[in-house]
Amino acid sequence: MKQNENLRAHAAMLLAMVLFGLMATFSKDVLTNGGITGPQLVAFRICGAALLFWIGSIFIPQQRVERRDLLKIVGASFFGFVMAQGGYIVGLSLTSPINATIELTTMPIFTLILSAIILHERITPRRALGIIMGFTGAILLITRTTQGASGHPTDFRGDLLILVSQVGYAFYLTYFSGVIRKYDAFTFNKWTFTFASLIIMPWVAPHIAQIDWPAMGARTASEIVYIVAAATFFTFLLVVWAQRRLMPTTVSVYNYVQPFVTVVASMIMGIAAPQWMHLVAGALIFTGVWLVTRSRHAFTPQQSEK
């Protein structure tokens, strides 16, 4: 039974990263060609997901949130959603998708360091090797795929925002791991996205008022629906459910799957041409993920096998 639970946790993270990987392509298209700004897309994503979680919570048993945990949940909302998700989208609107994808690969490294400091999580040689292999494969994949690609305008502020967003998400995974495991995925997401919506509202409200709704095309609208419903609502159900069963470093190493999915999607769309080096990079990424997830320290104490 425990083995099946562990396998489902890994499957949940893998599916979530596939959906996240596809989101990067859609988000850049919305920001570049859809007439939507970074703050507007942040509002769609965070506020839209909050609404979906409230609707979904009607159909499941309610779990009461303890008053003493409210401040922790507000903190998780800020670091995991406002700082991490909002910072990534606004940063993506200012920099190239190449830069953004490269900077995403720093998150497992930050998580490994913070897990050792905050949770005293043991950094075994196997886990360190897995992180290094995944990082190498991701960088190789990105640089080989983008050789000869046309340049995109970049702004240093965008690169800095994405880097800060990765630090924020690594801190969210480690410092708030206790409260994440305490509540079910619907309850935790409902309140974190609600608090995140309240935090960003003074900033995004003027931008929402500027949206030209009649001019929004069907393609842009459908991409926004995917970003909110599939790549936020559904994926965060999967991620939070898996976070209750996996250690933060194990969760973070799945981040290396995102660039692989993005490149494969680019090939299918004819944006990138397949090369043999993609196979090497993919092998490095999934071997690195395998090394970290096979560690006996991959699961939370109540889930790990002795």
Side-chain angles (χ1 to χ4, degrees), residues 38-100:
Q40 289 168 351
L41 187 56
V42 170
F44 277 123
R45 191 179 184 202
I46 293 180
C47 299
L51 178 61
L52 290 178
F53 279 117
W54 274 98
I55 294 173
S57 67
I58 297 173
F59 304 98
I60 64 169
Q62 302 295 306
Q63 184 181 16
R64 182 176 174 273
V65 175
E66 296 181 21
R67 186 183 298 272
R68 63 180 180 177
D69 291 329
L70 285 176
L71 189 59
K72 294 179 182 178
I73 292 176
V74 172
S77 302
F78 177 77
F79 286 99
F81 302 99
V82 177
M83 183 175 174
Q85 309 305 321
Y88 171 75
I89 289 176
V90 176
L92 183 62
S93 70
L94 297 173
T95 191
S96 72
I98 298 171
N99 290 22

Side-chain angles (χ1 to χ4, degrees), residues 26 28 36 40 58 64 84 87 105 131 152 174 191-192 204 212 238-239 290 296:
F26 294 141
K28 191 59 182 179
I36 299 297
Q40 289 168 351
I58 297 173
R64 182 176 174 273
T105 62
I131 293 289
H152 293 266
T174 53
W191 287 108
T192 48
V204 301
D212 188 356
L238 294 173
V239 169
W290 181 81
R296 67 187 182 91

Side-chain angles (χ1 to χ4, degrees), residues 7 53 58 119 207 216 232 244 247 264 297-298:
L7 289 174
F53 279 117
I58 297 173
L119 301 176
H207 297 275
M216 184 182 297
T232 306
R244 300 178 68 195
M247 291 298 287
V264 171
H297 301 283

Side-chain angles (χ1 to χ4, degrees), residues 11-53:
M13 281 306 306
L14 185 60
L15 177 57
M17 292 305 107
V18 169
L19 295 174
F20 273 140
L22 293 174
M23 186 195 75
T25 303
F26 294 141
S27 295
K28 191 59 182 179
D29 187 53
V30 167
L31 294 168
T32 305
N33 304 311
I36 299 297
T37 66
Q40 289 168 351
L41 187 56
V42 170
F44 277 123
R45 191 179 184 202
I46 293 180
C47 299
L51 178 61
L52 290 178
F53 279 117

Side-chain angles (χ1 to χ4, degrees), residues 21 35 59 74 87 95 211 223 286 304:
F59 304 98
V74 172
T95 191
I211 296 176
E223 288 175 333
F286 286 102
S304 59

